[in-house]
Amino acid sequence: MHFIIKVFPEIFVKSAPVRKRFIKHLRDNLRRLMVQVDAKVEVKSDWEKLEVLSPGADELITAQVADILSRTPGIGNYSLITAYPLGDLDDIFQKVLPHWKEALADKSFCVRVKRNGNHVFSSVDVERYVGGGLLHNTPARAVDLHNPDIIVPLEIKHDRLFVISSKFKGLGGYPLGAQDAVLSLISGGFDSTVSTYLSIRRGLRSHYCFFNLGGRAHEIGVKEVAYYLWNKYGASHRVKFVSVPFEDVVREILEKVDNAYMGVILKRMMLRAAEQVAESLEIPALVTGESVAQVSSQTLINLNMIDRVTDMVVLRPLATMDKGEIIDLSRKIGTETFAASMPEYCGVISVNPTTRAKLHRVEKEESRFDFAVLERAIAERVAQNIDEVVDDLNADLSVPVIGFADASHTIIDIRHPDEEETRPLRVEGVTILKIPFYSLNNRFANLPQEQTYWLYCQKGVMSQLHAANLKDAGHGNIGVYRPEPVSACAIG
């Protein structure tokens, strides 16, 4: 097995010392990753490319190596090749023929040669001789120098011939670790997972920060997608997953902040907390999944209000992308299925949110907020190595779900009072308690525990999260009332 790796083209425009450093990063990253496949896999580098070799490797190892190369940042393209001692023109043709004989059937083709060193023949001589030989000794349809179906690439370097049997496009970007680290604010949805991926692809060692608004079930879902992103695209470097309990912060906002300003102020609280987490890990920048004007809190004016709480750089890789592009990219990188089943926590979305927040109004609303609640949340954060979160992913968070209710059931409507008021729940003959989700944890223990309670929200997402959270806290008398079809965001 022999792969030749060409680095991401942008690396070549760097100065010689920077280029050398980037290629060294990529070489070291690949060495760490290849050890997981086979300790005999060797990674070599020079000023323009890298080689991955393992004499005698079987097809399984070759496929595993190719998979790693396809998802490692910093690689422009990579080719599976066979290396031979260089002979004369006819010897070159005889070595090329077995690799391409079947692939050229009924196809037009041309031969392209890259050559380094001093030889008695030119690159054009090799292209003509090998091209003519392939045309007459294979089922190829024709030679086409301008628009061929297939290009047969060859490389000659001094006294060696490289026959390229397969060429693949790499992930691009910069080698992981070539840039400084960042702290990515991840909620598990389409936006934050794609923005994290783009940061990793750019060579940024991306740690994860999750603000837990919906209990253990949500946290486990986010850990699952964070582990996936790290394991697939960033496993050459260990990073942290930090979970910050934000339920009390949300409750404080809902109880004390004007409805129109809740979204902006929640984001400001998150940035305040993220800055402290980042500083504790010696990380100089934050990453968010915000896209300009995608939602009300992401207008330029509101983003300006949000950013004023931190002196730290806030990167927004998705700033000018639309939702369709983001979803398409999530599908390509493999996070779509995670995001589609991840709840978008909607408990603090304003009914009439402001799109042009005023600083004096923001300061007035925050003056009523008890910042001791925020400091307590930051102090109670839990940080663990990303490769250790997998231990949490098998937790049993299933809760019973019913689609109908009768007089024997007691339903708890956990929606925000504003939502409950505009769309009241009515189920004939059924007792309905109204306990907003942000008060549920504190009030549930005071309810009679000899009966089962069925949580309700409009889409069934928040109700399942909070039911799972209560179950995880030891309450077995909990379930979900979901009379409508299961939401695409519901946890299965």
Side-chain angles (χ1 to χ4, degrees):
M1 178 202 70
H2 188 172
F3 285 95
I4 287 183
I5 300 165
K6 297 298 179 68
V7 301
F8 182 50
E10 280 188 23
I11 294 174
F12 285 111
V13 305
K14 306 294 183 182
S15 65
V18 173
R19 181 171 64 245
K20 182 178 179 181
R21 177 169 60 85
F22 278 25
I23 292 176
K24 181 180 182 297
H25 272 294
L26 180 56
R27 182 199 67 194
D28 293 345
N29 293 350
L30 287 174
R31 284 176 176 173
R32 294 189 196 102
L33 295 170
M34 293 305 168
V35 168
Q36 303 170 19
V37 176
D38 188 338
K40 296 179 182 178
V41 177
E42 186 178 2
V43 182
K44 298 179 178 180
S45 65
D46 59 29
W47 74 276
E48 64 173 351
K49 70 178 187 304
L50 294 95
E51 297 180 63
V52 178
L53 310 95
S54 182
D58 59 20
E59 291 184 2
L60 178 60
I61 290 178
T62 301
Q64 291 174 341
V65 170
D67 177 59
I68 289 175
L69 297 179
S70 72
R71 50 188 174 84
T72 299
I75 295 177
N77 62 71
Y78 58 100
S79 303
L80 179 62
I81 70 163
T82 303
Y84 298 99
L86 182 64
D88 58 18
L89 292 177
D90 189 64
D91 181 69
I92 294 172
F93 162 68
Q94 294 298 336
K95 289 171 179 173
V96 171
L97 180 60
H99 292 276
W100 289 94
K101 188 170 185 177
E102 295 182 4
L104 295 180
D106 298 321
K107 305 288 186 181
S108 64
F109 76 97
C110 71
V111 178
R112 292 285 183 258
V113 175
K114 291 184 178 180
R115 187 175 61 87
N116 288 313
N118 296 317
H119 305 96
V120 296
F121 47 74
S122 67
S123 298
V124 174
D125 292 336
V126 178
E127 291 172 352
R128 287 174 176 171
Y129 192 96
V130 174
L134 292 175
L135 180 63
H136 292 97
N137 292 276
T138 72
R141 186 177 75 249
V143 171
D144 186 341
L145 300 179
H146 303 290
N147 190 29
D149 296 327
I150 294 177
I151 294 177
V152 177
L154 302 176
E155 290 195 21
I156 296 171
K157 188 170 184 180
H158 303 294
D159 60 350
R160 291 203 297 168
L161 167 68
F162 300 100
V163 180
I164 301 173
S165 56
S166 303
K167 187 174 183 178
F168 309 92
K169 186 177 180 180
L171 197 63
Y174 292 147
L176 197 60
Q179 310 291 335
D180 291 320
V182 295
L183 183 68
S184 181
L185 279 60
I186 185 166
S187 66
F190 292 103
D191 299 344
S192 63
T193 52
V194 172
S195 65
T196 302
Y197 159 78
L198 292 174
S199 300
I200 295 172
R201 184 179 178 271
R202 201 60 179 172
L204 300 166
R205 184 180 180 185
S206 300
H207 300 259
Y208 301 86
C209 184
F210 167 62
F211 293 98
N212 192 341
L213 309 180
R216 183 169 171 77
H218 192 188
E219 180 175 345
I220 286 178
V222 176
K223 283 181 175 179
E224 187 175 20
V225 70
Y227 180 84
Y228 169 85
L229 282 168
W230 169 78
N231 188 52
K232 186 161 187 176
Y233 301 108
S236 60
H237 289 69
R238 175 177 277 182
V239 296
K240 295 285 187 182
F241 183 97
V242 182
S243 181
V244 184
F246 239 53
E247 290 172 298
D248 288 344
V249 174
V250 170
R251 184 183 303 111
E252 186 76 5
I253 290 173
L254 289 167
E255 292 178 348
K256 297 183 179 178
V257 172
D258 182 86
N259 187 285
Y261 276 76
M262 291 193 301
V264 169
I265 289 178
L266 176 62
K267 293 292 183 68
R268 283 166 62 93
M269 297 301 171
M270 287 180 173
L271 281 197
R272 286 184 172 104
E275 180 180 43
Q276 290 194 40
V277 172
E279 288 176 345
S280 71
L281 297 173
E282 299 183 347
I283 294 173
L286 306 176
V287 172
T288 77
E290 292 159 320
S291 176
V292 173
Q294 187 180 106
V295 296
S296 58
S297 64
Q298 295 174 18
T299 63
L300 289 178
I301 290 175
N302 284 356
L303 290 175
N304 180 31
M305 289 298 107
I306 292 167
D307 283 0
R308 286 173 180 244
V309 301
T310 178
D311 293 327
M312 193 165 283
V313 174
V314 180
L315 304 177
R316 294 183 170 92
L318 311 185
T320 61
M321 293 178 66
D322 61 45
K323 195 68 173 184
E325 292 173 316
I326 295 168
I327 293 174
D328 287 344
L329 186 51
S330 75
R331 184 177 304 119
K332 179 180 178 181
I333 66 177
T335 61
E336 181 189 29
T337 54
F338 293 98
S341 62
M342 194 73 61
E344 289 289 343
Y345 192 84
C346 55
V348 292
I349 293 179
S350 305
V351 175
N352 294 301
T354 180
T355 59
R356 304 179 69 84
K358 306 295 185 182
L359 182 59
H360 72 277
R361 279 293 308 278
V362 170
E363 293 174 343
K364 178 181 178 181
E365 296 301 325
E366 287 189 345
S367 68
R368 294 193 288 267
F369 184 92
D370 182 0
F371 277 86
V373 175
L374 177 65
E375 292 303 320
R376 184 165 60 249
I378 297 170
E380 292 176 355
R381 69 186 184 274
V382 176
Q384 59 187 144
N385 293 325
I386 189 66
D387 52 330
E388 296 171 354
V389 304
V390 71
D391 297 335
D392 296 337
L393 300 184
N394 295 322
D396 179 14
L397 296 175
S398 59
V399 292
V401 178
I402 59 173
F404 66 95
D406 57 32
S408 66
H409 296 97
T410 299
I411 295 173
I412 301 178
D413 189 339
I414 68 168
R415 294 176 295 169
H416 189 280
D418 290 346
E419 183 182 1
E420 186 276 324
E421 183 177 351
T422 57
R423 302 186 66 177
L425 174 66
R426 294 187 178 93
V427 184
E428 187 175 352
V430 176
T431 300
I432 299 176
L433 305 178
K434 299 176 182 180
I435 304 177
F437 60 91
Y438 53 84
S439 300
L440 186 62
N441 285 348
N442 292 338
R443 293 176 58 181
F444 187 82
N446 297 324
L447 297 175
Q449 297 299 303
E450 63 271 12
Q451 65 184 92
T452 298
Y453 298 91
W454 304 90
L455 306 188
Y456 171 80
C457 68
Q458 192 66 41
K459 293 185 177 181
V461 175
M462 290 172 58
S463 56
Q464 189 164 349
L465 286 172
H466 284 277
N469 191 38
L470 288 170
K471 179 183 177 181
D472 190 55
H475 298 287
N477 58 332
I478 198 72
V480 171
Y481 172 58
R482 187 160 54 210
E484 300 175 1
V486 176
S487 166
C489 292
I491 297 175

